[in-house]
Amino acid sequence: MDYNLETVVSWAKRKWFVYPGSDIYGWLANAWDLGPYGTMLRKNILDSWYQTFTQRRSDIIPLDAAILMNVKTWEASGHLSNFSDPLVDDKNTGERFRVDKIIEDVIEKFRKNKSEEEIINQLKEEFWVDNTVPESWTFEQMKAFIEKYVSKNPNNWKEANWTDIRKFNLMFKTFQWVTEDNTATIYLRPETAQGIFVNFKNILDTMRVKIPFGISQVGKSFRNEITPWNFLFRVREFEQMEIEYFVEPEKDAFYFERWKEDCWAWWTETLWINKEKLRFRDHEEDELSHYSKGTTDVEYKFPWWWGELQGIARRWDYDLTQHQKHSLVNMQYTDPKTGHRFIPWVIEPSWGLTRAIATAMIDSYDEEKYTDPKWNEQTRIVSRFHKNIAPIKFAILPLMEKKQELVDIADKIFLDLSKEFMCEYDGKWNIGKRYRRQDEIWTPFCVTIDFDTLEDNTVTVRDRDSMNQIRVKIKDLRDVYENSEKYFN
Ligand code: ATP
């Protein structure tokens, strides 16, 4: 079943997955802090990504470049001149809006009573555009659209007085001291990719890599989004997991397809995001970033509409050529067999870690009716996410906290299992309430230590999804995790 965003966000806040950023000072709009369970979830998603795309790949090596970079990087990459969004101000209130987002909201309303084909026909007739992606339209087309369909300010629903559409650079500007009374402008990086490109030569000179090979990096990026919105989906500070994959010129089409397959497999078979809610979307020609010859996005059907989780771009030799021009450092690779020298072409799969965290929460949230023998019909909130991604793997629950013998065994089990698994000890409340609490935070297995444990070293393991309970030896708990299908189905 689909749940609205408010329901999921309220659960995520209640269950310590996220906190509003700077909360005690009344929040900094759309900044979020990850709470304890959100932090664990982030680590599990990141670990799974790192294992899949770096640890298990002999052709990919990791890097961790600095966030602050020489400003010439951004001149060379084109971000200083091109990395912008179209915006308008409402002259009546001074508020600023991203035009493409306002238009998308109106198109979303059209969808309530028109098919996609009907909408495109209407847009063609009225504005000479043949798609519903305003990012690819000209400023004139966007202006004509808002003049016709957006007469009111979306925040206060009063008549708006729009300025012309202008470009707004998304990079966060800051200042660095050069001398005691003189500063230089620098920028917080808007993508992690450039840290990889500027280190390409270092890697070539030190790592004996052979094409095709990739460099992976995870880190914070910053974009001064005009209208951050929808929870963690569009924030100003977020994390990316990026790979620049270097291939022979002209061979990028082949690797592009391969990367699409690998990325799809990670989303659907490692993170287990619902396949029905995922799709690829090719960028329209006019929508492509300044560096791209072709981009496909992996999109998820969020409660509000499809949104991008990841971009896979054919960046050809744009970045390395630009850095060669601006730094005068030779970025050529020499083929060890033929001696042929060339600037490699690049495929860039770029995942949003922050969006992956939001998607995991939204995709797994469920409310389920079940019959409790004592209380009849009940509803439980249960997050059905794959055990590998669950923040806590085992909840360790002594039946009665007053009985020290039970607590001692619980402590021992905790110490043993926590060498490999994130576990949580909980001795408060009755056991049913403790199960419910663990259901809400994803925990796949609850382990109850009771008086029989003292006799025969067995414990009750309760499975989150089926709610079935089995009795197993303490020494078999690891096997329950590894081979849970054998025990519960
Ligand atoms: P969008 O079109 O949604 O603004 P983008 O195409 O500009 O995204 P990319 O530059 O391709 O995004 O960045 C790669 C990934 O980084 C995106 O797929 C997304 O998951 C993530 N990302 C980009 N901007 C943000 C943001 N403001 N907040 C959270 N994640 C983001």
Side-chain angles (χ1 to χ4, degrees), residues 379-390:
T379 302
R380 67 171 182 152
I381 293 178
V382 54
S383 265
R384 297 179 188 288
F385 218 57
H386 197 268
K387 60 187 176 188
N388 294 347
I389 307 298

Side-chain angles (χ1 to χ4, degrees), residues 352-364:
L353 175 55
T354 311
R355 282 188 193 171
I357 294 170
T359 308
M361 294 198 246
I362 291 168
D363 200 56
S364 65

